[in-house]
Structure formats: C-alpha cells, structure tokens
Amino acid sequence: MGVQSAIAKLVEEAEQQVLERMWEPSSGDRALAFETVTGLSEAVGAVRDGEDLADIQRLAHLREALAALAITLARTHGRLAWFLAACIEALSPILHWRALPAGEAPAFGTTHPTPEQLADAEDALRDLAAALNRIAAVEPDSGSTGLGGR
C-alpha cells in the first residue's frame, strides 16, 4: 500500500467520525487544522506543473510537511492528535529516504525514493491538507459538517 492510499483510509475514517458526530472538532482543533493546512501548503503546495525540482528539494519539502504535522501534534490532544499521529506514521517512509548518494559508507538504512514514491507522498500530503481544511470548516452545532465538498 502506498502512502497516499494509507492517508486516504485515515482521512475517510476521520471524516466519517465527524459526519457521525463521534468527533466534533473544537474551535482549537479547527484553528490548529487550518494552521497545519498553511504549513502543508507552504511545504508541498499545489502540483507544480512544468517545474522540475531536484529530488533533494522535493525531499526537503516533504520533511518540512512532516515537521508541520509534528508541531501541530505537539500542540494538541484527543482525536486530532490521534488522527495526526496515525498520518505521521503512514508518512514515515519519508524519514527513510535520502537524496544524496551514500557511496560505500553505511547510510543508516536509508534508500533513494523513486520519482513515483516522491509523487505519492506529495499527493498524500495534498490530500491530507484538503481533509484538514474540510475539518477546519466544520461548524459546531450548526448541523453543517463542512465535509460535503469531498
């Protein structure tokens, strides 16, 4: 299973919990979700049409996105924390990737990702940002979940 499909399953679960009102994001959850969307967008942004970034730049952007998630995780608790922790775990292959050649020396178990793996992780983070944006839009007690635009 790729990173994007793992994130898709977690997003589906989170949105189902919101729809069923098992998770009613607090104003703090919504604010943190929105801040995280900003961090993810700054890191991976929209698909860069025609712009070829070097693998080292793409990997740096992916790690910046993970950092944004980790910072939010450190600032929250409850369902938002559980959701973000599961997403970070699903994104953990990023932590095992390297862009520089290892040569003959040991490389701490890192591997060079394929272009497809990089794209999969970038797309997963964009999907996660979109889901967090929908969660941030949830209005408490209004009857509107904000998830209808899926």
Side-chain angles (χ1 to χ4, degrees), residues 54-60 63 94 96-102 110-113 118:
D55 287 354
I56 196 164
Q57 291 171 307
R58 291 176 77 184
L59 186 53
R63 289 179 180 158
I94 294 168
H96 301 281
W97 294 343
R98 69 171 190 278
L100 300 175
T110 59
T111 61
H112 194 286
L118 289 168

Side-chain angles (χ1 to χ4, degrees), residues 13-102:
E13 180 181 346
E15 291 184 339
Q16 189 64 38
Q17 287 185 20
V18 172
L19 284 170
E20 293 176 359
R21 302 232 185 260
M22 292 173 56
W23 177 17
E24 294 185 25
S26 67
S27 60
D29 286 346
R30 293 189 316 276
L32 282 172
F34 185 72
E35 284 180 37
T36 305
V37 168
T38 301
L40 294 178
S41 296
E42 288 173 359
V44 293
V47 177
R48 294 172 175 91
D49 293 326
E51 184 181 347
D52 291 322
L53 295 177
D55 287 354
I56 196 164
Q57 291 171 307
R58 291 176 77 184
L59 186 53
H61 291 287
L62 290 169
R63 289 179 180 158
E64 287 172 22
L66 274 179
L69 291 170
I71 288 168
T72 302
L73 176 60
R75 296 173 56 201
T76 192
H77 58 278
R79 291 192 188 272
L80 180 60
W82 305 338
F83 174 56
L84 293 177
C87 289
I88 290 168
E89 184 177 357
L91 292 160
S92 69
I94 294 168
L95 299 173
H96 301 281
W97 294 343
R98 69 171 190 278
L100 300 175

Side-chain angles (χ1 to χ4, degrees), residues 112-135:
H112 194 286
T114 66
E116 294 79 17
Q117 287 174 309
L118 289 168
D120 180 58
E122 291 162 342
D123 290 341
L125 284 161
R126 289 182 192 104
D127 292 348
L128 177 56
L132 287 168
N133 209 21
R134 290 188 297 272
I135 290 169

